[in-house]
mmCIF file of all heavy atoms in Angstrom:
data_model
loop_
_atom_site.group_PDB
_atom_site.id
_atom_site.type_symbol
_atom_site.label_atom_id
_atom_site.label_comp_id
_atom_site.label_asym_id
_atom_site.label_seq_id
_atom_site.Cartn_x
_atom_site.Cartn_y
_atom_site.Cartn_z
ATOM 1 N N TYR A 68 66.603 14.944 24.147
ATOM 2 C CA TYR A 68 65.473 15.608 24.879
ATOM 3 C C TYR A 68 65.742 17.079 25.055
ATOM 4 O O TYR A 68 64.786 17.882 24.925
ATOM 5 C CB TYR A 68 65.345 14.888 26.258
ATOM 6 C CG TYR A 68 64.139 15.406 27.018
ATOM 7 C CD1 TYR A 68 62.893 14.924 26.693
ATOM 8 C CD2 TYR A 68 64.254 16.402 27.985
ATOM 9 C CE1 TYR A 68 61.749 15.395 27.360
ATOM 10 C CE2 TYR A 68 63.124 16.868 28.613
ATOM 11 C CZ TYR A 68 61.897 16.374 28.320
ATOM 12 O OH TYR A 68 60.765 16.859 28.949
ATOM 13 N N SER A 69 66.960 17.501 25.326
ATOM 14 C CA SER A 69 67.203 18.915 25.502
ATOM 15 C C SER A 69 66.978 19.801 24.225
ATOM 16 O O SER A 69 66.773 20.933 24.262
ATOM 17 C CB SER A 69 68.683 19.102 25.982
ATOM 18 O OG SER A 69 69.585 18.850 25.019
ATOM 19 N N ARG A 70 67.018 19.100 23.081
ATOM 20 C CA ARG A 70 66.753 19.775 21.833
ATOM 21 C C ARG A 70 65.263 19.929 21.497
ATOM 22 O O ARG A 70 64.952 20.687 20.579
ATOM 23 C CB ARG A 70 67.475 19.081 20.638
ATOM 24 C CG ARG A 70 69.008 19.206 20.627
ATOM 25 C CD ARG A 70 69.586 18.663 19.333
ATOM 26 N NE ARG A 70 69.290 17.284 19.092
ATOM 27 C CZ ARG A 70 70.036 16.235 19.503
ATOM 28 N NH1 ARG A 70 71.114 16.498 20.247
ATOM 29 N NH2 ARG A 70 69.681 14.952 19.221
ATOM 30 N N LEU A 71 64.426 19.225 22.194
ATOM 31 C CA LEU A 71 63.045 19.322 21.948
ATOM 32 C C LEU A 71 62.537 20.713 22.412
ATOM 33 O O LEU A 71 63.026 21.309 23.402
ATOM 34 C CB LEU A 71 62.281 18.262 22.783
ATOM 35 C CG LEU A 71 62.442 16.819 22.370
ATOM 36 C CD1 LEU A 71 61.693 15.874 23.333
ATOM 37 C CD2 LEU A 71 61.967 16.582 20.911
ATOM 38 N N SER A 72 61.502 21.265 21.691
ATOM 39 C CA SER A 72 60.903 22.456 22.135
ATOM 40 C C SER A 72 60.112 22.209 23.450
ATOM 41 O O SER A 72 59.816 21.047 23.770
ATOM 42 C CB SER A 72 59.932 22.937 21.076
ATOM 43 O OG SER A 72 58.790 22.049 21.054
ATOM 44 N N PRO A 73 59.867 23.274 24.208
ATOM 45 C CA PRO A 73 59.108 23.056 25.477
ATOM 46 C C PRO A 73 57.762 22.350 25.165
ATOM 47 O O PRO A 73 57.282 21.515 25.917
ATOM 48 C CB PRO A 73 58.908 24.467 25.989
ATOM 49 C CG PRO A 73 60.118 25.193 25.504
ATOM 50 C CD PRO A 73 60.324 24.635 24.142
ATOM 51 N N GLU A 74 57.063 22.674 24.007
ATOM 52 C CA GLU A 74 55.837 22.026 23.704
ATOM 53 C C GLU A 74 56.023 20.513 23.486
ATOM 54 O O GLU A 74 55.249 19.688 23.986
ATOM 55 C CB GLU A 74 55.230 22.708 22.467
ATOM 56 C CG GLU A 74 53.866 22.026 22.111
ATOM 57 C CD GLU A 74 53.257 22.620 20.874
ATOM 58 O OE1 GLU A 74 53.847 23.495 20.253
ATOM 59 O OE2 GLU A 74 52.156 22.254 20.515
ATOM 60 N N SER A 75 57.072 20.084 22.746
ATOM 61 C CA SER A 75 57.268 18.747 22.467
ATOM 62 C C SER A 75 57.636 17.998 23.805
ATOM 63 O O SER A 75 57.217 16.818 24.020
ATOM 64 C CB SER A 75 58.411 18.513 21.527
ATOM 65 O OG SER A 75 57.932 18.944 20.192
ATOM 66 N N GLN A 76 58.401 18.650 24.659
ATOM 67 C CA GLN A 76 58.718 18.043 25.963
ATOM 68 C C GLN A 76 57.479 17.826 26.796
ATOM 69 O O GLN A 76 57.253 16.811 27.380
ATOM 70 C CB GLN A 76 59.713 18.945 26.775
ATOM 71 C CG GLN A 76 61.082 19.009 26.105
ATOM 72 C CD GLN A 76 61.964 20.005 26.865
ATOM 73 O OE1 GLN A 76 61.496 20.827 27.648
ATOM 74 N NE2 GLN A 76 63.296 19.865 26.607
ATOM 75 N N TYR A 77 56.610 18.792 26.790
ATOM 76 C CA TYR A 77 55.351 18.708 27.536
ATOM 77 C C TYR A 77 54.427 17.643 26.977
ATOM 78 O O TYR A 77 53.867 16.841 27.703
ATOM 79 C CB TYR A 77 54.599 20.065 27.501
ATOM 80 C CG TYR A 77 53.361 20.059 28.359
ATOM 81 C CD1 TYR A 77 53.430 20.280 29.723
ATOM 82 C CD2 TYR A 77 52.064 19.844 27.766
ATOM 83 C CE1 TYR A 77 52.285 20.300 30.495
ATOM 84 C CE2 TYR A 77 50.948 19.849 28.540
ATOM 85 C CZ TYR A 77 51.043 20.030 29.858
ATOM 86 O OH TYR A 77 49.915 20.021 30.663
ATOM 87 N N ARG A 78 54.377 17.480 25.629
ATOM 88 C CA ARG A 78 53.545 16.492 25.013
ATOM 89 C C ARG A 78 54.120 15.080 25.313
ATOM 90 O O ARG A 78 53.314 14.096 25.416
ATOM 91 C CB ARG A 78 53.418 16.661 23.495
ATOM 92 C CG ARG A 78 52.564 17.870 23.182
ATOM 93 C CD ARG A 78 52.473 18.132 21.693
ATOM 94 N NE ARG A 78 51.694 19.325 21.502
ATOM 95 C CZ ARG A 78 50.594 19.358 20.862
ATOM 96 N NH1 ARG A 78 50.009 18.256 20.385
ATOM 97 N NH2 ARG A 78 49.938 20.494 20.713
ATOM 98 N N ARG A 79 55.365 14.920 25.518
ATOM 99 C CA ARG A 79 55.952 13.632 25.818
ATOM 100 C C ARG A 79 55.584 13.159 27.235
ATOM 101 O O ARG A 79 55.273 12.059 27.424
ATOM 102 C CB ARG A 79 57.485 13.670 25.577
ATOM 103 C CG ARG A 79 58.216 12.435 26.112
ATOM 104 C CD ARG A 79 57.709 11.129 25.487
ATOM 105 N NE ARG A 79 58.379 9.998 26.058
ATOM 106 C CZ ARG A 79 57.949 9.264 27.069
ATOM 107 N NH1 ARG A 79 56.865 9.543 27.700
ATOM 108 N NH2 ARG A 79 58.613 8.199 27.483
ATOM 109 N N PHE A 80 55.737 14.009 28.196
ATOM 110 C CA PHE A 80 55.556 13.653 29.587
ATOM 111 C C PHE A 80 54.303 14.195 30.220
ATOM 112 O O PHE A 80 53.997 13.928 31.410
ATOM 113 C CB PHE A 80 56.774 14.031 30.436
ATOM 114 C CG PHE A 80 57.958 13.185 30.179
ATOM 115 C CD1 PHE A 80 59.036 13.652 29.396
ATOM 116 C CD2 PHE A 80 58.072 11.882 30.600
ATOM 117 C CE1 PHE A 80 60.124 12.849 29.123
ATOM 118 C CE2 PHE A 80 59.121 11.058 30.326
ATOM 119 C CZ PHE A 80 60.167 11.544 29.614
ATOM 120 N N LEU A 81 53.506 15.001 29.466
ATOM 121 C CA LEU A 81 52.249 15.549 29.973
ATOM 122 C C LEU A 81 52.475 16.449 31.205
ATOM 123 O O LEU A 81 51.563 16.640 32.008
ATOM 124 C CB LEU A 81 51.212 14.477 30.311
ATOM 125 C CG LEU A 81 51.012 13.474 29.169
ATOM 126 C CD1 LEU A 81 49.910 12.525 29.559
ATOM 127 C CD2 LEU A 81 50.641 14.158 27.879
ATOM 128 N N THR A 82 53.689 17.025 31.316
ATOM 129 C CA THR A 82 53.953 17.919 32.434
ATOM 130 C C THR A 82 55.209 18.726 31.957
ATOM 131 O O THR A 82 55.916 18.361 31.022
ATOM 132 C CB THR A 82 54.300 17.125 33.663
ATOM 133 O OG1 THR A 82 54.413 18.096 34.771
ATOM 134 C CG2 THR A 82 55.543 16.313 33.604
ATOM 135 N N VAL A 83 55.490 19.845 32.684
ATOM 136 C CA VAL A 83 56.633 20.602 32.384
ATOM 137 C C VAL A 83 57.883 19.863 32.905
ATOM 138 O O VAL A 83 57.937 19.503 34.099
ATOM 139 C CB VAL A 83 56.526 21.964 33.098
ATOM 140 C CG1 VAL A 83 57.819 22.815 32.915
ATOM 141 C CG2 VAL A 83 55.347 22.715 32.493
ATOM 142 N N LYS A 84 58.805 19.561 32.022
ATOM 143 C CA LYS A 84 59.961 18.820 32.355
ATOM 144 C C LYS A 84 61.092 19.346 31.492
ATOM 145 O O LYS A 84 61.336 18.778 30.428
ATOM 146 C CB LYS A 84 59.768 17.303 32.199
ATOM 147 C CG LYS A 84 60.939 16.466 32.669
ATOM 148 C CD LYS A 84 60.716 14.967 32.427
ATOM 149 C CE LYS A 84 60.025 14.255 33.543
ATOM 150 N NZ LYS A 84 60.763 14.216 34.797
ATOM 151 N N PRO A 85 61.730 20.442 31.895
ATOM 152 C CA PRO A 85 62.733 21.075 31.027
ATOM 153 C C PRO A 85 63.979 20.242 30.747
ATOM 154 O O PRO A 85 64.748 20.516 29.845
ATOM 155 C CB PRO A 85 63.062 22.390 31.710
ATOM 156 C CG PRO A 85 62.562 22.262 33.130
ATOM 157 C CD PRO A 85 61.543 21.157 33.093
ATOM 158 N N ARG A 86 64.239 19.217 31.645
ATOM 159 C CA ARG A 86 65.436 18.394 31.367
ATOM 160 C C ARG A 86 65.113 17.015 32.027
ATOM 161 O O ARG A 86 64.290 16.875 32.907
ATOM 162 C CB ARG A 86 66.686 18.961 31.924
ATOM 163 C CG ARG A 86 66.660 19.076 33.432
ATOM 164 C CD ARG A 86 67.993 19.691 33.970
ATOM 165 N NE ARG A 86 67.960 19.719 35.430
ATOM 166 C CZ ARG A 86 68.122 18.737 36.259
ATOM 167 N NH1 ARG A 86 68.319 17.480 35.777
ATOM 168 N NH2 ARG A 86 68.029 18.876 37.598
ATOM 169 N N LEU A 87 65.822 16.074 31.485
ATOM 170 C CA LEU A 87 65.739 14.723 32.093
ATOM 171 C C LEU A 87 66.592 14.603 33.347
ATOM 172 O O LEU A 87 67.783 15.077 33.283
ATOM 173 C CB LEU A 87 66.155 13.657 31.129
ATOM 174 C CG LEU A 87 65.251 13.387 29.843
ATOM 175 C CD1 LEU A 87 65.895 12.367 28.926
ATOM 176 C CD2 LEU A 87 63.866 13.025 30.231
ATOM 177 N N SER A 88 66.095 14.089 34.398
ATOM 178 C CA SER A 88 66.897 13.902 35.546
ATOM 179 C C SER A 88 67.806 12.672 35.295
ATOM 180 O O SER A 88 67.590 11.915 34.396
ATOM 181 C CB SER A 88 66.029 13.602 36.818
ATOM 182 O OG SER A 88 65.356 12.384 36.660
ATOM 183 N N GLN A 89 68.783 12.434 36.195
ATOM 184 C CA GLN A 89 69.636 11.289 36.081
ATOM 185 C C GLN A 89 68.767 9.984 36.195
ATOM 186 O O GLN A 89 68.965 9.052 35.471
ATOM 187 C CB GLN A 89 70.683 11.256 37.224
ATOM 188 C CG GLN A 89 71.697 12.389 37.061
ATOM 189 C CD GLN A 89 72.647 12.178 35.884
ATOM 190 O OE1 GLN A 89 72.936 11.019 35.507
ATOM 191 N NE2 GLN A 89 73.175 13.199 35.297
ATOM 192 N N GLN A 90 67.803 10.029 37.110
ATOM 193 C CA GLN A 90 66.904 8.935 37.295
ATOM 194 C C GLN A 90 66.073 8.631 36.052
ATOM 195 O O GLN A 90 65.933 7.521 35.637
ATOM 196 C CB GLN A 90 66.030 9.113 38.485
ATOM 197 C CG GLN A 90 65.141 7.956 38.868
ATOM 198 C CD GLN A 90 64.301 8.220 40.124
ATOM 199 O OE1 GLN A 90 64.285 9.311 40.653
ATOM 200 N NE2 GLN A 90 63.680 7.166 40.569
ATOM 201 N N ASP A 91 65.583 9.682 35.385
ATOM 202 C CA ASP A 91 64.818 9.559 34.157
ATOM 203 C C ASP A 91 65.623 8.874 33.067
ATOM 204 O O ASP A 91 65.210 7.908 32.433
ATOM 205 C CB ASP A 91 64.353 10.911 33.672
ATOM 206 C CG ASP A 91 63.337 11.626 34.479
ATOM 207 O OD1 ASP A 91 62.640 10.954 35.270
ATOM 208 O OD2 ASP A 91 63.331 12.896 34.443
ATOM 209 N N ALA A 92 66.865 9.410 32.895
ATOM 210 C CA ALA A 92 67.734 8.940 31.851
ATOM 211 C C ALA A 92 68.090 7.486 32.078
ATOM 212 O O ALA A 92 68.112 6.660 31.079
ATOM 213 C CB ALA A 92 68.947 9.767 31.748
ATOM 214 N N THR A 93 68.353 7.150 33.328
ATOM 215 C CA THR A 93 68.649 5.708 33.625
ATOM 216 C C THR A 93 67.499 4.803 33.314
ATOM 217 O O THR A 93 67.666 3.815 32.634
ATOM 218 C CB THR A 93 69.076 5.577 35.090
ATOM 219 O OG1 THR A 93 70.263 6.364 35.332
ATOM 220 C CG2 THR A 93 69.353 4.149 35.493
ATOM 221 N N TYR A 94 66.243 5.201 33.704
ATOM 222 C CA TYR A 94 65.126 4.416 33.440
ATOM 223 C C TYR A 94 64.877 4.243 31.869
ATOM 224 O O TYR A 94 64.620 3.184 31.380
ATOM 225 C CB TYR A 94 63.827 4.982 34.051
ATOM 226 C CG TYR A 94 62.574 4.265 33.576
ATOM 227 C CD1 TYR A 94 62.235 3.087 34.018
ATOM 228 C CD2 TYR A 94 61.765 4.933 32.554
ATOM 229 C CE1 TYR A 94 61.103 2.424 33.563
ATOM 230 C CE2 TYR A 94 60.674 4.293 32.091
ATOM 231 C CZ TYR A 94 60.324 3.049 32.600
ATOM 232 O OH TYR A 94 59.206 2.472 32.132
ATOM 233 N N LEU A 95 65.049 5.341 31.191
ATOM 234 C CA LEU A 95 64.793 5.327 29.709
ATOM 235 C C LEU A 95 65.764 4.490 28.889
ATOM 236 O O LEU A 95 65.360 3.962 27.853
ATOM 237 C CB LEU A 95 64.714 6.776 29.205
ATOM 238 C CG LEU A 95 63.518 7.592 29.698
ATOM 239 C CD1 LEU A 95 63.653 9.083 29.293
ATOM 240 C CD2 LEU A 95 62.180 6.989 29.185
ATOM 241 N N VAL A 96 67.019 4.361 29.392
ATOM 242 C CA VAL A 96 67.930 3.507 28.630
ATOM 243 C C VAL A 96 68.045 2.094 29.224
ATOM 244 O O VAL A 96 68.747 1.256 28.651
ATOM 245 C CB VAL A 96 69.342 4.129 28.566
ATOM 246 C CG1 VAL A 96 69.321 5.464 27.817
ATOM 247 C CG2 VAL A 96 70.009 4.319 29.885
ATOM 248 N N ASP A 97 67.386 1.851 30.370
ATOM 249 C CA ASP A 97 67.414 0.533 30.978
ATOM 250 C C ASP A 97 66.387 -0.394 30.343
ATOM 251 O O ASP A 97 65.428 -0.747 30.955
ATOM 252 C CB ASP A 97 67.172 0.694 32.479
ATOM 253 C CG ASP A 97 67.482 -0.645 33.212
ATOM 254 O OD1 ASP A 97 68.162 -1.535 32.638
ATOM 255 O OD2 ASP A 97 66.949 -0.775 34.295
ATOM 256 N N VAL A 98 66.597 -0.640 29.108
ATOM 257 C CA VAL A 98 65.668 -1.521 28.307
ATOM 258 C C VAL A 98 66.202 -2.961 28.354
ATOM 259 O O VAL A 98 67.425 -3.207 28.362
ATOM 260 C CB VAL A 98 65.554 -1.016 26.838
ATOM 261 C CG1 VAL A 98 64.873 0.356 26.809
ATOM 262 C CG2 VAL A 98 66.867 -0.968 26.162
ATOM 263 N N ASP A 99 65.275 -3.911 28.257
ATOM 264 C CA ASP A 99 65.731 -5.297 28.244
ATOM 265 C C ASP A 99 65.366 -5.996 26.870
ATOM 266 O O ASP A 99 65.717 -7.080 26.656
ATOM 267 C CB ASP A 99 64.981 -6.116 29.379
ATOM 268 C CG ASP A 99 63.511 -6.169 29.264
ATOM 269 O OD1 ASP A 99 62.936 -5.852 28.256
ATOM 270 O OD2 ASP A 99 62.876 -6.552 30.290
ATOM 271 N N GLY A 100 64.776 -5.210 25.979
ATOM 272 C CA GLY A 100 64.458 -5.739 24.669
ATOM 273 C C GLY A 100 63.240 -6.615 24.619
ATOM 274 O O GLY A 100 62.801 -7.011 23.523
ATOM 275 N N ASP A 101 62.582 -6.884 25.699
ATOM 276 C CA ASP A 101 61.341 -7.716 25.740
ATOM 277 C C ASP A 101 60.275 -6.993 26.451
ATOM 278 O O ASP A 101 59.236 -6.669 25.829
ATOM 279 C CB ASP A 101 61.686 -9.065 26.397
ATOM 280 C CG ASP A 101 60.561 -10.060 26.283
ATOM 281 O OD1 ASP A 101 60.038 -10.165 25.131
ATOM 282 O OD2 ASP A 101 60.149 -10.647 27.291
ATOM 283 N N ASP A 102 60.409 -6.760 27.739
ATOM 284 C CA ASP A 102 59.353 -6.025 28.529
ATOM 285 C C ASP A 102 59.432 -4.523 28.337
ATOM 286 O O ASP A 102 58.504 -3.840 28.494
ATOM 287 C CB ASP A 102 59.483 -6.373 30.011
ATOM 288 C CG ASP A 102 59.092 -7.802 30.288
ATOM 289 O OD1 ASP A 102 58.298 -8.406 29.547
ATOM 290 O OD2 ASP A 102 59.610 -8.388 31.351
ATOM 291 N N HIS A 103 60.620 -4.066 28.062
ATOM 292 C CA HIS A 103 60.858 -2.641 27.799
ATOM 293 C C HIS A 103 61.760 -2.545 26.579
ATOM 294 O O HIS A 103 62.852 -2.899 26.580
ATOM 295 C CB HIS A 103 61.520 -2.007 29.018
ATOM 296 C CG HIS A 103 61.762 -0.573 28.967
ATOM 297 N ND1 HIS A 103 62.229 0.251 29.942
ATOM 298 C CD2 HIS A 103 61.491 0.403 27.967
ATOM 299 C CE1 HIS A 103 62.290 1.508 29.619
ATOM 300 N NE2 HIS A 103 61.839 1.630 28.370
ATOM 301 N N MET A 104 61.145 -2.053 25.517
ATOM 302 C CA MET A 104 61.834 -2.008 24.199
ATOM 303 C C MET A 104 61.772 -0.562 23.679
ATOM 304 O O MET A 104 60.744 0.094 23.790
ATOM 305 C CB MET A 104 61.068 -2.903 23.230
ATOM 306 C CG MET A 104 61.619 -2.937 21.807
ATOM 307 S SD MET A 104 63.211 -3.596 21.828
ATOM 308 C CE MET A 104 63.791 -3.205 20.183
ATOM 309 N N ALA A 105 62.854 -0.078 23.123
ATOM 310 C CA ALA A 105 62.872 1.204 22.491
ATOM 311 C C ALA A 105 63.670 1.211 21.183
ATOM 312 O O ALA A 105 64.661 0.519 21.107
ATOM 313 C CB ALA A 105 63.465 2.222 23.494
ATOM 314 N N LEU A 106 63.165 1.917 20.235
ATOM 315 C CA LEU A 106 63.863 2.151 18.967
ATOM 316 C C LEU A 106 64.186 3.599 18.813
ATOM 317 O O LEU A 106 63.483 4.471 19.333
ATOM 318 C CB LEU A 106 62.882 1.794 17.810
ATOM 319 C CG LEU A 106 62.345 0.355 17.760
ATOM 320 C CD1 LEU A 106 61.255 0.238 16.679
ATOM 321 C CD2 LEU A 106 63.436 -0.658 17.570
ATOM 322 N N VAL A 107 65.351 3.881 18.268
ATOM 323 C CA VAL A 107 65.818 5.261 18.033
ATOM 324 C C VAL A 107 66.047 5.494 16.489
ATOM 325 O O VAL A 107 66.330 4.539 15.831
ATOM 326 C CB VAL A 107 67.001 5.667 18.883
ATOM 327 C CG1 VAL A 107 66.745 5.563 20.346
ATOM 328 C CG2 VAL A 107 68.209 4.820 18.488
ATOM 329 N N ALA A 108 65.844 6.727 16.139
ATOM 330 C CA ALA A 108 66.215 7.171 14.751
ATOM 331 C C ALA A 108 67.346 8.145 14.817
ATOM 332 O O ALA A 108 67.349 9.013 15.675
ATOM 333 C CB ALA A 108 64.940 7.736 14.047
ATOM 334 N N THR A 109 68.312 7.952 13.904
ATOM 335 C CA THR A 109 69.451 8.809 13.817
ATOM 336 C C THR A 109 69.697 9.216 12.382
ATOM 337 O O THR A 109 69.503 8.367 11.500
ATOM 338 C CB THR A 109 70.753 8.173 14.363
ATOM 339 O OG1 THR A 109 71.085 7.064 13.537
ATOM 340 C CG2 THR A 109 70.590 7.789 15.813
ATOM 341 N N PRO A 110 70.005 10.491 12.010
ATOM 342 C CA PRO A 110 70.286 10.838 10.687
ATOM 343 C C PRO A 110 71.438 10.068 10.140
ATOM 344 O O PRO A 110 72.431 9.810 10.821
ATOM 345 C CB PRO A 110 70.558 12.329 10.748
ATOM 346 C CG PRO A 110 70.060 12.845 12.083
ATOM 347 C CD PRO A 110 70.122 11.579 13.021
ATOM 348 N N LEU A 111 71.389 9.703 8.828
ATOM 349 C CA LEU A 111 72.508 9.036 8.208
ATOM 350 C C LEU A 111 73.787 9.770 8.385
ATOM 351 O O LEU A 111 74.859 9.160 8.606
ATOM 352 C CB LEU A 111 72.251 8.741 6.763
ATOM 353 C CG LEU A 111 71.127 7.677 6.430
ATOM 354 C CD1 LEU A 111 71.080 7.554 4.878
ATOM 355 C CD2 LEU A 111 71.510 6.351 7.052
ATOM 356 N N ASP A 112 73.757 11.132 8.242
ATOM 357 C CA ASP A 112 75.019 11.876 8.273
ATOM 358 C C ASP A 112 75.400 12.277 9.743
ATOM 359 O O ASP A 112 76.422 12.864 9.920
ATOM 360 C CB ASP A 112 74.818 13.172 7.417
ATOM 361 C CG ASP A 112 73.665 14.059 7.857
ATOM 362 O OD1 ASP A 112 72.778 13.561 8.712
ATOM 363 O OD2 ASP A 112 73.600 15.238 7.380
ATOM 364 N N GLN A 113 74.551 11.877 10.739
ATOM 365 C CA GLN A 113 74.950 12.136 12.107
ATOM 366 C C GLN A 113 74.506 10.941 12.964
ATOM 367 O O GLN A 113 73.564 11.051 13.734
ATOM 368 C CB GLN A 113 74.227 13.386 12.616
ATOM 369 C CG GLN A 113 74.679 14.687 11.950
ATOM 370 C CD GLN A 113 73.857 15.806 12.438
ATOM 371 O OE1 GLN A 113 72.642 15.893 12.239
ATOM 372 N NE2 GLN A 113 74.516 16.809 13.100
ATOM 373 N N PRO A 114 75.203 9.820 12.810
ATOM 374 C CA PRO A 114 74.728 8.579 13.490
ATOM 375 C C PRO A 114 74.742 8.589 15.003
ATOM 376 O O PRO A 114 74.161 7.714 15.599
ATOM 377 C CB PRO A 114 75.681 7.491 12.941
ATOM 378 C CG PRO A 114 76.891 8.252 12.457
ATOM 379 C CD PRO A 114 76.388 9.576 12.036
#
């Protein structure tokens, strides 16, 4: 998230959010695989 441009950050949350709070980060990784599912992409050379 910190590597996103300010425009990309704004487009994701529809508000100015220069960094994820601890609460944001906890919510975003607290997936159960059924009701809350997330996929990530990582470069092959930087897994």
Side-chain angles (χ1 to χ4, degrees):
Y68 186 80
S69 71
R70 288 190 301 271
L71 293 174
S72 68
E74 180 181 4
S75 291
Q76 291 174 347
Y77 185 81
R78 287 178 186 246
R79 169 58 182 94
F80 287 105
L81 309 180
T82 189
V83 175
K84 185 182 271 296
R86 65 178 181 77
L87 293 178
S88 69
Q89 293 289 332
Q90 185 176 8
D91 294 333
T93 298
Y94 170 76
L95 292 171
V96 298
D97 189 21
V98 296
D99 64 14
D101 189 48
D102 292 332
H103 185 175
M104 176 67 192
L106 302 172
V107 297
T109 63
L111 287 182
D112 58 347
Q113 295 176 297

